[in-house]
Amino acid sequence: MVPFVRVKEALQAPIGTDLTVNGWVRTRRDVGRISFAEVNDGSCLRNIQVVIEEGVVSEEQLSQITTGACISVKGTLVESPAPGQPVELKAHSISILGPADAATYPLSKKRHSFEYLREIAHLRLRSNTFGAMFRIRNTLSFAIHRFFQERGFIYVHTPIITTSDCEGAGAMFGVTTLDLMNLPRTPDGAVDYSQDFFGKPAYLTVSGQLEAEAFALAFTNVYTFGPTFRAENSNTPRHLAEFWMIEPEMAFCDLDGNRKLAEEFLKYLIATVLDECHEDLELFNKWIDDTVLSTLEHVLNSPFEHITYTEAIKLLQESGQSFEYPPRWGADIQTEHERYLTETLFKRPVVVTDYPKEIKAFYMRLNDDGKTVRAMDVLVPRIGEIIGGSQREERYEVLLQRIRELGLDERNYWWYLDLRRYGSAPHSGFGLGFERMMMFVTGMKNIRDVIPFPRTPGNAEF
RNA sequence: UCCCCGGUAGCUCAGUCGGCAGAGCGGGUGGCUGUUAACCACUAGGUCGCAGGUUCGAGUCCUGCCCGGGGAGCCA
């Protein structure tokens, strides 16, 4: 290939530079004997305006420079005589790398609905919104690693396939090599999983937490950042069957330390995107939600509120609001309650801690009152719950009793209990849904539009 | 999974009381000496989601199904 520069660099090159740019045509305008093509290569939101004067390309070539076509332009960067852009690329020669039939190309230069773009997820990446989206997603991903690496956390690859049907985080996808049309059976008619690939039922992971705990009890501070799967039939703008989750886990850390890390982490990510993605964020602020930038700056500069579940219920009961589900101690905090707390009452992120044990998972540390556990949820405006975490139960006897109380099979937890039997330590961690963070940062209303190729009930195209 | 709303041209939508299938954008053709979601003129383009039913006649009314959106539950 001919050496080329990215559009982002080309736009900053000195006037008079000869260079080659490769990219995809967003639009072409003909005015008299001169043509203008907007070319984008994904390096930044801005296009470079390519000026094609008469005679530079043949009539046939020009007819192929259409919206969607991929071209390579050799030219000189010049000052633009017209307002709209400081510089433009005066073409000397253009080669058509990949034409795009204008009559059938599904992306027009005009705006499309997100529902339609979702049906062409392989091409929506060439739109302004999704270009900005996935540059922000990239920046956020790198910032996540940088945050933990700067603090000495070890990155752990927890397994994707698991035989622990025990995490209590919801329905799981089965993983099998058995012939579904001809399942082996045990004498009593059940499926004989001893003949399956792993010799027992296996699933896609719903969380790397339990394995991360094992690593925290050897490396002190660790984190995971990987795909997670939930087979729930959830049809909402906030749920995916396949999503990415960040799960730090820290030894010698109680719930207070956990809460403080969560706040520091969220603010670090917000500061990073404000600093590094301002141009892309402005697109979302202009077209998607004009409160995005002000909300991010507000959250960055506000201390998070901290209340206990018991206090939250009291505040909700005394609020004078009419809720569809009246707040009651022992019942879960509903979506409408979360929104009231974070959007109306405090107008900033709220951390709720110490929930009744009955509505939380078995591994959360039991408080001395015997009724609540050291759980925390971080609620943010517009999204609701963005982080869920807890201090883990590190006491062998207490954990074993909780497993038995809930009717779980303790044999499935043998290695998890071992961690409490040998060198246990107080430890804590949380999970951040990456796509929920993306929604919060961009203001997008549907989680299917912040992940490259969304998987939801009935939909796994691409 | 439950409740509500929707599905009409490539896209976004209008279509009144059951009586000839419409617009804008996009596409094509032509015009225009610097455009900026260019502009002007002309033009092509339809299994009205699918299957039944009611009716002289259904995009319109009824039933079932499929798909999409919003809300709820579950959660991240």
Side-chain angles (χ1 to χ4, degrees), chain A residues 14-47:
Chain A
I15 298 297
T17 310
D18 286 326
L19 46 81
T20 297
V21 159
N22 299 329
W24 292 267
V25 176
R26 287 292 173 78
T27 176
R28 192 192 88 212
R29 297 179 287 269
D30 300 329
V31 185
R33 295 189 173 80
I34 196 168
S35 291
F36 301 91
E38 299 283 344
V39 175
N40 187 285
D41 70 348
S43 59
C44 62
L45 184 61
R46 296 186 65 121
N47 307 320

Side-chain angles (χ1 to χ4, degrees), chain A residues 87-206:
Chain A
V87 296
E88 60 192 23
L89 187 62
K90 186 180 172 185
H92 301 321
S93 65
I94 297 178
S95 54
I96 317 292
L97 301 180
D101 177 20
T104 58
Y105 185 64
L107 267 180
S108 82
K109 62 185 104 174
K110 299 294 174 83
R111 284 178 68 77
H112 290 296
S113 67
F114 289 121
E115 291 79 17
Y116 170 67
L117 290 171
R118 227 171 274 153
E119 295 169 10
I120 49 167
H122 60 310
L123 295 174
R124 68 177 180 172
L125 313 176
R126 300 184 195 174
S127 68
N128 288 337
T129 302
F130 287 94
M133 176 74 63
F134 293 117
R135 278 187 298 274
I136 290 173
R137 193 176 163 111
N138 170 67
T139 297
L140 213 44
S141 299
F142 191 65
I144 285 160
H145 284 293
R146 200 172 55 217
F147 175 86
F148 289 117
Q149 293 293 329
E150 283 172 353
R151 285 159 183 74
F153 282 58
I154 295 286
Y155 177 38
V156 188
H157 298 105
T158 51
I160 306 295
I161 298 173
T162 175
T163 55
S164 311
D165 177 19
C166 61
E167 288 153 12
M172 303 175 87
F173 288 101
V175 175
T176 183
T177 53
L178 293 177
D179 179 359
L180 296 181
M181 299 303 287
N182 186 21
L183 288 168
R185 300 284 180 176
T186 58
D188 62 0
V191 175
D192 183 6
Y193 281 103
S194 71
Q195 294 187 43
D196 202 354
F197 189 89
F198 296 106
K200 55 171 125 173
Y203 307 90
L204 294 178
T205 184
V206 295

